[in-house]
Amino acid sequence: AKKVGIIIGPKGATMKAIEEATGCKLDVNAPARDAPVPANLPNKTLKASVKLSGTTEAIQKARTAIQELERKGYASILQSDNFGEFSISVHPRCLSEIVGPGGKVIQALQTNCDVKISIPPTDWKPNTPPGMVQMCKVGIAGSKENSRTAKGVLQSLVEFHHHELTHPGMIHETVYVPNEFFHCVIGSKGSEMKHIRGNYKVDVYMPNHDSKTQDVLVVGKKSNVDRAITHITNLMDRDSEVKEKKYDDSFY
């Protein structure tokens, strides 16, 4: 019953559009919001029903439209002639960033690009071996031009963790950190990384086998990013000094 609202639409607009596009009559029977839910009902969710009336062809078109609305959030039959469906393959770890906290990122993407984005389910876990990772296809639906723009935004989110349309005012910079200095940036149990993120209000991404760059990526407001990079450089310089002093002491 939770998804029946998307079929009805604002003041019944979506349901009326489906009827006009398919020639099929829709009769939605949804439980009241305050209807009591039986204790033995699976998932404790009341179901809504949609009765379809019309020719076999009309009913099939309407059923397809309803299934698309439920699964994708849009129905192809209700879109313009310029409408198309596209996709981009991403690592499953990127899905949470595309959605964003409370869905803010995906909402900004859909609003600013005037497209619909569909996120596929995945059973990926952080400890999944690299060779066993199955890429996910993120769906993009809208006009060709808007979808092309949305695809560019998604690519930026995957590669740089931000885009002006979804993260206004954010920039990214890279800083070369040799492997022997990774411990300086990460710290004991990630303590230094937490300090950098909290103190400078930035996000810091260490390179991995999927990264487009082998440099450390710093994302945030420009002034914050500059300060964070200066701090990271100082950490490496300090570690070098300690190592040099230790070497000198041992030499003597």
PDB file of all heavy atoms in Angstrom, residues 178-202:
ATOM      1  N   PRO A 178      53.367   9.090  -0.970  1.00  0.00           N
ATOM      2  CA  PRO A 178      53.983   7.774  -1.191  1.00  0.00           C
ATOM      3  C   PRO A 178      53.453   6.748  -0.186  1.00  0.00           C
ATOM      4  O   PRO A 178      53.028   7.103   0.913  1.00  0.00           O
ATOM      5  CB  PRO A 178      55.483   8.056  -0.947  1.00  0.00           C
ATOM      6  CG  PRO A 178      55.639   9.522  -1.208  1.00  0.00           C
ATOM      7  CD  PRO A 178      54.364  10.141  -0.727  1.00  0.00           C
ATOM      8  N   ASN A 179      53.477   5.493  -0.578  1.00  0.00           N
ATOM      9  CA  ASN A 179      52.940   4.429   0.283  1.00  0.00           C
ATOM     10  C   ASN A 179      53.514   4.432   1.690  1.00  0.00           C
ATOM     11  O   ASN A 179      52.808   4.142   2.666  1.00  0.00           O
ATOM     12  CB  ASN A 179      53.188   3.057  -0.356  1.00  0.00           C
ATOM     13  CG  ASN A 179      52.317   2.824  -1.584  1.00  0.00           C
ATOM     14  OD1 ASN A 179      51.467   3.645  -1.902  1.00  0.00           O
ATOM     15  ND2 ASN A 179      52.539   1.727  -2.274  1.00  0.00           N
ATOM     16  N   GLU A 180      54.791   4.786   1.806  1.00  0.00           N
ATOM     17  CA  GLU A 180      55.415   4.736   3.134  1.00  0.00           C
ATOM     18  C   GLU A 180      54.899   5.817   4.082  1.00  0.00           C
ATOM     19  O   GLU A 180      55.186   5.795   5.286  1.00  0.00           O
ATOM     20  CB  GLU A 180      56.944   4.850   3.022  1.00  0.00           C
ATOM     21  CG  GLU A 180      57.449   6.127   2.380  1.00  0.00           C
ATOM     22  CD  GLU A 180      57.697   5.974   0.884  1.00  0.00           C
ATOM     23  OE1 GLU A 180      57.015   5.140   0.247  1.00  0.00           O
ATOM     24  OE2 GLU A 180      58.582   6.679   0.375  1.00  0.00           O
ATOM     25  N   PHE A 181      54.108   6.762   3.518  1.00  0.00           N
ATOM     26  CA  PHE A 181      53.537   7.816   4.359  1.00  0.00           C
ATOM     27  C   PHE A 181      52.030   7.662   4.563  1.00  0.00           C
ATOM     28  O   PHE A 181      51.398   8.526   5.176  1.00  0.00           O
ATOM     29  CB  PHE A 181      53.814   9.192   3.744  1.00  0.00           C
ATOM     30  CG  PHE A 181      55.259   9.604   3.788  1.00  0.00           C
ATOM     31  CD1 PHE A 181      55.978   9.749   2.611  1.00  0.00           C
ATOM     32  CD2 PHE A 181      55.895   9.832   4.997  1.00  0.00           C
ATOM     33  CE1 PHE A 181      57.308  10.125   2.638  1.00  0.00           C
ATOM     34  CE2 PHE A 181      57.233  10.211   5.031  1.00  0.00           C
ATOM     35  CZ  PHE A 181      57.944  10.350   3.847  1.00  0.00           C
ATOM     36  N   PHE A 182      51.469   6.556   4.073  1.00  0.00           N
ATOM     37  CA  PHE A 182      50.027   6.341   4.248  1.00  0.00           C
ATOM     38  C   PHE A 182      49.651   6.340   5.732  1.00  0.00           C
ATOM     39  O   PHE A 182      48.605   6.844   6.120  1.00  0.00           O
ATOM     40  CB  PHE A 182      49.604   5.016   3.607  1.00  0.00           C
ATOM     41  CG  PHE A 182      49.315   5.114   2.129  1.00  0.00           C
ATOM     42  CD1 PHE A 182      49.672   6.241   1.400  1.00  0.00           C
ATOM     43  CD2 PHE A 182      48.673   4.074   1.460  1.00  0.00           C
ATOM     44  CE1 PHE A 182      49.416   6.332   0.036  1.00  0.00           C
ATOM     45  CE2 PHE A 182      48.406   4.165   0.095  1.00  0.00           C
ATOM     46  CZ  PHE A 182      48.779   5.292  -0.609  1.00  0.00           C
ATOM     47  N   HIS A 183      50.527   5.757   6.543  1.00  0.00           N
ATOM     48  CA  HIS A 183      50.205   5.666   7.969  1.00  0.00           C
ATOM     49  C   HIS A 183      50.091   7.046   8.611  1.00  0.00           C
ATOM     50  O   HIS A 183      49.391   7.217   9.601  1.00  0.00           O
ATOM     51  CB  HIS A 183      51.281   4.842   8.695  1.00  0.00           C
ATOM     52  CG  HIS A 183      52.612   5.529   8.791  1.00  0.00           C
ATOM     53  ND1 HIS A 183      53.510   5.545   7.748  1.00  0.00           N
ATOM     54  CD2 HIS A 183      53.187   6.233   9.807  1.00  0.00           C
ATOM     55  CE1 HIS A 183      54.591   6.220   8.116  1.00  0.00           C
ATOM     56  NE2 HIS A 183      54.422   6.656   9.358  1.00  0.00           N
ATOM     57  N   CYS A 184      50.784   8.035   8.040  1.00  0.00           N
ATOM     58  CA  CYS A 184      50.700   9.403   8.571  1.00  0.00           C
ATOM     59  C   CYS A 184      49.305   9.982   8.371  1.00  0.00           C
ATOM     60  O   CYS A 184      48.765  10.663   9.252  1.00  0.00           O
ATOM     61  CB  CYS A 184      51.713  10.309   7.869  1.00  0.00           C
ATOM     62  SG  CYS A 184      53.423   9.821   8.063  1.00  0.00           S
ATOM     63  N   VAL A 185      48.743   9.728   7.200  1.00  0.00           N
ATOM     64  CA  VAL A 185      47.428  10.280   6.862  1.00  0.00           C
ATOM     65  C   VAL A 185      46.309   9.510   7.557  1.00  0.00           C
ATOM     66  O   VAL A 185      45.317  10.094   8.003  1.00  0.00           O
ATOM     67  CB  VAL A 185      47.209  10.252   5.331  1.00  0.00           C
ATOM     68  CG1 VAL A 185      45.848  10.842   4.967  1.00  0.00           C
ATOM     69  CG2 VAL A 185      48.328  11.007   4.628  1.00  0.00           C
ATOM     70  N   ILE A 186      46.479   8.200   7.674  1.00  0.00           N
ATOM     71  CA  ILE A 186      45.437   7.361   8.266  1.00  0.00           C
ATOM     72  C   ILE A 186      45.482   7.425   9.794  1.00  0.00           C
ATOM     73  O   ILE A 186      44.455   7.607  10.449  1.00  0.00           O
ATOM     74  CB  ILE A 186      45.569   5.908   7.784  1.00  0.00           C
ATOM     75  CG1 ILE A 186      45.378   5.853   6.260  1.00  0.00           C
ATOM     76  CG2 ILE A 186      44.536   5.011   8.482  1.00  0.00           C
ATOM     77  CD1 ILE A 186      45.688   4.506   5.643  1.00  0.00           C
ATOM     78  N   GLY A 187      46.667   7.286  10.356  1.00  0.00           N
ATOM     79  CA  GLY A 187      46.805   7.297  11.807  1.00  0.00           C
ATOM     80  C   GLY A 187      46.396   5.978  12.436  1.00  0.00           C
ATOM     81  O   GLY A 187      45.869   5.084  11.773  1.00  0.00           O
ATOM     82  N   SER A 188      46.639   5.860  13.731  1.00  0.00           N
ATOM     83  CA  SER A 188      46.288   4.641  14.461  1.00  0.00           C
ATOM     84  C   SER A 188      44.774   4.458  14.478  1.00  0.00           C
ATOM     85  O   SER A 188      44.043   5.326  14.955  1.00  0.00           O
ATOM     86  CB  SER A 188      46.812   4.727  15.897  1.00  0.00           C
ATOM     87  OG  SER A 188      46.410   3.608  16.646  1.00  0.00           O
ATOM     88  N   LYS A 189      44.323   3.335  13.925  1.00  0.00           N
ATOM     89  CA  LYS A 189      42.892   3.017  13.834  1.00  0.00           C
ATOM     90  C   LYS A 189      42.084   4.131  13.157  1.00  0.00           C
ATOM     91  O   LYS A 189      40.924   4.375  13.485  1.00  0.00           O
ATOM     92  CB  LYS A 189      42.321   2.740  15.226  1.00  0.00           C
ATOM     93  CG  LYS A 189      42.942   1.536  15.921  1.00  0.00           C
ATOM     94  CD  LYS A 189      42.327   1.294  17.282  1.00  0.00           C
ATOM     95  CE  LYS A 189      42.957   0.080  17.953  1.00  0.00           C
ATOM     96  NZ  LYS A 189      42.367  -0.175  19.306  1.00  0.00           N
ATOM     97  N   GLY A 190      42.737   4.820  12.201  1.00  0.00           N
ATOM     98  CA  GLY A 190      42.042   5.864  11.444  1.00  0.00           C
ATOM     99  C   GLY A 190      41.911   7.180  12.182  1.00  0.00           C
ATOM    100  O   GLY A 190      41.160   8.062  11.748  1.00  0.00           O
ATOM    101  N   SER A 191      42.658   7.348  13.285  1.00  0.00           N
ATOM    102  CA  SER A 191      42.516   8.547  14.116  1.00  0.00           C
ATOM    103  C   SER A 191      42.892   9.835  13.386  1.00  0.00           C
ATOM    104  O   SER A 191      42.212  10.858  13.515  1.00  0.00           O
ATOM    105  CB  SER A 191      43.365   8.404  15.386  1.00  0.00           C
ATOM    106  OG  SER A 191      44.735   8.209  15.051  1.00  0.00           O
ATOM    107  N   GLU A 192      43.969   9.806  12.598  1.00  0.00           N
ATOM    108  CA  GLU A 192      44.400  11.011  11.894  1.00  0.00           C
ATOM    109  C   GLU A 192      43.417  11.381  10.790  1.00  0.00           C
ATOM    110  O   GLU A 192      43.125  12.557  10.556  1.00  0.00           O
ATOM    111  CB  GLU A 192      45.808  10.820  11.310  1.00  0.00           C
ATOM    112  CG  GLU A 192      46.406  12.090  10.742  1.00  0.00           C
ATOM    113  CD  GLU A 192      46.530  13.202  11.773  1.00  0.00           C
ATOM    114  OE1 GLU A 192      46.973  12.929  12.909  1.00  0.00           O
ATOM    115  OE2 GLU A 192      46.166  14.355  11.439  1.00  0.00           O
ATOM    116  N   MET A 193      42.900  10.356  10.122  1.00  0.00           N
ATOM    117  CA  MET A 193      41.900  10.594   9.079  1.00  0.00           C
ATOM    118  C   MET A 193      40.675  11.274   9.691  1.00  0.00           C
ATOM    119  O   MET A 193      40.124  12.225   9.111  1.00  0.00           O
ATOM    120  CB  MET A 193      41.509   9.269   8.422  1.00  0.00           C
ATOM    121  CG  MET A 193      40.570   9.420   7.242  1.00  0.00           C
ATOM    122  SD  MET A 193      41.406   9.907   5.742  1.00  0.00           S
ATOM    123  CE  MET A 193      42.101   8.335   5.234  1.00  0.00           C
ATOM    124  N   LYS A 194      40.230  10.791  10.845  1.00  0.00           N
ATOM    125  CA  LYS A 194      39.075  11.391  11.533  1.00  0.00           C
ATOM    126  C   LYS A 194      39.374  12.834  11.914  1.00  0.00           C
ATOM    127  O   LYS A 194      38.515  13.707  11.824  1.00  0.00           O
ATOM    128  CB  LYS A 194      38.719  10.574  12.767  1.00  0.00           C
ATOM    129  CG  LYS A 194      38.151   9.198  12.465  1.00  0.00           C
ATOM    130  CD  LYS A 194      37.886   8.412  13.748  1.00  0.00           C
ATOM    131  CE  LYS A 194      37.385   7.002  13.444  1.00  0.00           C
ATOM    132  NZ  LYS A 194      37.200   6.200  14.695  1.00  0.00           N
ATOM    133  N   HIS A 195      40.600  13.072  12.358  1.00  0.00           N
ATOM    134  CA  HIS A 195      41.001  14.425  12.749  1.00  0.00           C
ATOM    135  C   HIS A 195      40.948  15.379  11.554  1.00  0.00           C
ATOM    136  O   HIS A 195      40.437  16.505  11.658  1.00  0.00           O
ATOM    137  CB  HIS A 195      42.415  14.407  13.333  1.00  0.00           C
ATOM    138  CG  HIS A 195      43.017  15.768  13.497  1.00  0.00           C
ATOM    139  ND1 HIS A 195      42.623  16.647  14.491  1.00  0.00           N
ATOM    140  CD2 HIS A 195      43.970  16.416  12.781  1.00  0.00           C
ATOM    141  CE1 HIS A 195      43.304  17.765  14.384  1.00  0.00           C
ATOM    142  NE2 HIS A 195      44.138  17.656  13.361  1.00  0.00           N
ATOM    143  N   ILE A 196      41.487  14.930  10.426  1.00  0.00           N
ATOM    144  CA  ILE A 196      41.504  15.774   9.222  1.00  0.00           C
ATOM    145  C   ILE A 196      40.082  16.094   8.769  1.00  0.00           C
ATOM    146  O   ILE A 196      39.748  17.246   8.473  1.00  0.00           O
ATOM    147  CB  ILE A 196      42.290  15.085   8.081  1.00  0.00           C
ATOM    148  CG1 ILE A 196      43.755  14.905   8.471  1.00  0.00           C
ATOM    149  CG2 ILE A 196      42.177  15.889   6.785  1.00  0.00           C
ATOM    150  CD1 ILE A 196      44.560  14.062   7.496  1.00  0.00           C
ATOM    151  N   ARG A 197      39.242  15.069   8.733  1.00  0.00           N
ATOM    152  CA  ARG A 197      37.851  15.275   8.296  1.00  0.00           C
ATOM    153  C   ARG A 197      37.097  16.192   9.244  1.00  0.00           C
ATOM    154  O   ARG A 197      36.345  17.070   8.810  1.00  0.00           O
ATOM    155  CB  ARG A 197      37.144  13.922   8.182  1.00  0.00           C
ATOM    156  CG  ARG A 197      37.594  13.100   6.977  1.00  0.00           C
ATOM    157  CD  ARG A 197      37.041  11.685   7.022  1.00  0.00           C
ATOM    158  NE  ARG A 197      37.310  10.979   5.779  1.00  0.00           N
ATOM    159  CZ  ARG A 197      37.240   9.651   5.650  1.00  0.00           C
ATOM    160  NH1 ARG A 197      36.937   8.898   6.702  1.00  0.00           N
ATOM    161  NH2 ARG A 197      37.485   9.080   4.485  1.00  0.00           N
ATOM    162  N   GLY A 198      37.286  15.988  10.540  1.00  0.00           N
ATOM    163  CA  GLY A 198      36.551  16.789  11.508  1.00  0.00           C
ATOM    164  C   GLY A 198      37.069  18.203  11.649  1.00  0.00           C
ATOM    165  O   GLY A 198      36.294  19.157  11.733  1.00  0.00           O
ATOM    166  N   ASN A 199      38.386  18.369  11.631  1.00  0.00           N
ATOM    167  CA  ASN A 199      38.980  19.675  11.865  1.00  0.00           C
ATOM    168  C   ASN A 199      38.920  20.585  10.645  1.00  0.00           C
ATOM    169  O   ASN A 199      38.750  21.804  10.777  1.00  0.00           O
ATOM    170  CB  ASN A 199      40.445  19.504  12.300  1.00  0.00           C
ATOM    171  CG  ASN A 199      41.005  20.746  12.959  1.00  0.00           C
ATOM    172  OD1 ASN A 199      40.377  21.320  13.840  1.00  0.00           O
ATOM    173  ND2 ASN A 199      42.184  21.166  12.531  1.00  0.00           N
ATOM    174  N   TYR A 200      39.046  19.992   9.456  1.00  0.00           N
ATOM    175  CA  TYR A 200      39.084  20.799   8.233  1.00  0.00           C
ATOM    176  C   TYR A 200      37.800  20.707   7.404  1.00  0.00           C
ATOM    177  O   TYR A 200      37.688  21.327   6.343  1.00  0.00           O
ATOM    178  CB  TYR A 200      40.289  20.406   7.382  1.00  0.00           C
ATOM    179  CG  TYR A 200      41.605  20.623   8.100  1.00  0.00           C
ATOM    180  CD1 TYR A 200      42.318  19.546   8.619  1.00  0.00           C
ATOM    181  CD2 TYR A 200      42.108  21.899   8.285  1.00  0.00           C
ATOM    182  CE1 TYR A 200      43.514  19.731   9.293  1.00  0.00           C
ATOM    183  CE2 TYR A 200      43.305  22.104   8.960  1.00  0.00           C
ATOM    184  CZ  TYR A 200      43.997  21.017   9.467  1.00  0.00           C
ATOM    185  OH  TYR A 200      45.173  21.221  10.147  1.00  0.00           O
ATOM    186  N   LYS A 201      36.838  19.935   7.889  1.00  0.00           N
ATOM    187  CA  LYS A 201      35.540  19.808   7.199  1.00  0.00           C
ATOM    188  C   LYS A 201      35.716  19.370   5.747  1.00  0.00           C
ATOM    189  O   LYS A 201      35.152  19.968   4.816  1.00  0.00           O
ATOM    190  CB  LYS A 201      34.760  21.130   7.253  1.00  0.00           C
ATOM    191  CG  LYS A 201      34.648  21.743   8.641  1.00  0.00           C
ATOM    192  CD  LYS A 201      33.980  20.810   9.630  1.00  0.00           C
ATOM    193  CE  LYS A 201      33.885  21.446  11.012  1.00  0.00           C
ATOM    194  NZ  LYS A 201      33.400  20.484  12.029  1.00  0.00           N
ATOM    195  N   VAL A 202      36.504  18.338   5.530  1.00  0.00           N
ATOM    196  CA  VAL A 202      36.723  17.794   4.187  1.00  0.00           C
ATOM    197  C   VAL A 202      36.541  16.286   4.230  1.00  0.00           C
ATOM    198  O   VAL A 202      36.504  15.678   5.302  1.00  0.00           O
ATOM    199  CB  VAL A 202      38.143  18.118   3.660  1.00  0.00           C
ATOM    200  CG1 VAL A 202      38.344  19.611   3.522  1.00  0.00           C
ATOM    201  CG2 VAL A 202      39.207  17.499   4.576  1.00  0.00           C
TER     202      VAL A 202
END
